[in-house]
Amino acid sequence: MRGDARRRHFAGRFPLIPQLSPLLGGGNFVVGAGPREAQTLQAMAVALPGVVEELLSEMAAAVRESARIPDEHLLSLKFIFGASAVQALDLVDRHSVTLISSPSGRRAYQVLGSSGKTYTCLASCHYCSCPAFAFSVLRKSDSLLCKHLLAIYLSQVMGTCQELSVSDKQLTDILLMEKKQEASEVATEHQYL
């Protein structure tokens, strides 16, 4: 399918597309899983377009009914996110997503990337520490999400997100360690420029 035909086909399936720009925020995406997952997904969906929310909701319903995602949803996912969709699904298949929570209610995700590096993500504000997020999402606005953030959504939908409870201090240490690593990488980059 070419550009206009693809948009018409997709718009017929998701009627909100003609009204959306890539950066418009969505509404209330809540999956009918447990209350904790629904709260997580609702917080993560703050800035997602309605079409993505609808797709994720349909995927979650399909997983609840048949424990699998239909091919049409996978094609839609690929249409919206391109190559990142396949990469994110690979991360989900490898159980690379871990939700880290503390007694105070703070939450962060860690995603073991395909390169072996662990990235820290704050899904509530759509942040990932990976270079692709900084470049493709923030700087160029080519993508809605990086593959790590998309993997978080998909692991919640598919029920494969691992969970780890830590103390408030441990979570703070995890976040500070990530910040120190980022600062070190930036210093190294500037050294080679």
Side-chain angles (χ1 to χ4, degrees):
M1 263 187 242
R2 299 208 51 156
D4 288 340
R6 213 176 346 175
R7 273 192 294 284
R8 280 193 303 278
H9 169 75
F10 202 64
R13 179 130 172 73
F14 297 100
L16 296 174
I17 284 186
Q19 303 163 13
L20 294 175
S21 74
L23 300 176
L24 280 179
N28 296 319
F29 169 70
V30 178
V31 173
R36 186 175 207 177
E37 290 84 1
Q39 180 185 13
T40 299
L41 290 169
Q42 187 173 12
M44 291 191 314
V46 170
L48 285 179
V51 68
V52 175
E53 291 181 32
E54 184 178 341
L55 177 59
L56 292 172
S57 291
E58 288 181 9
M59 290 171 73
V63 168
R64 281 192 307 274
E65 285 179 20
S66 66
R68 66 179 292 278
I69 298 174
D71 290 346
E72 65 188 40
H73 292 128
L74 293 173
L75 288 171
S76 297
L77 193 69
K78 176 106 168 69
F79 178 82
I80 295 170
F81 293 103
S84 293
V86 175
Q87 296 165 344
L89 286 166
D90 182 53
L91 293 172
V92 172
D93 284 344
R94 291 190 286 130
H95 299 279
S96 297
V97 178
T98 302
L99 167 63
I100 303 171
S101 59
S102 70
S104 66
R106 294 184 335 179
R107 303 159 65 109
Y109 289 85
Q110 285 195 322
V111 180
L112 179 60
S114 52
S115 67
K117 183 172 176 8
T118 300
Y119 298 100
T120 299
C121 302
L122 302 173
S124 61
C125 62
H126 297 291
Y127 169 79
C128 180
S129 61
C130 75
F133 177 80
F135 187 73
S136 295
V137 177
L138 294 180
R139 189 169 189 187
K140 290 183 69 184
S141 296
D142 285 344
S143 304
L144 292 171
L145 304 169
C146 66
K147 67 182 177 183
H148 307 108
L149 284 168
L150 183 55
I152 291 170
Y153 282 104
L154 295 173
S155 69
Q156 289 291 332
V157 164
M158 299 169 78
T160 62
C161 186
Q162 301 176 63
E163 293 190 23
L164 176 64
S165 294
V166 298
S167 70
D168 288 319
K169 182 180 179 342
Q170 288 171 312
L171 183 55
T172 299
D173 290 345
I174 289 168
L175 295 173
L176 287 175
M177 183 173 48
E178 181 69 35
K179 193 68 178 159
K180 286 178 187 175
Q181 283 178 331
E182 284 179 33
S184 173
E185 289 171 6
V186 168
T188 302
E189 280 180 26
H190 288 289
Q191 184 178 23
Y192 289 109
L193 293 179

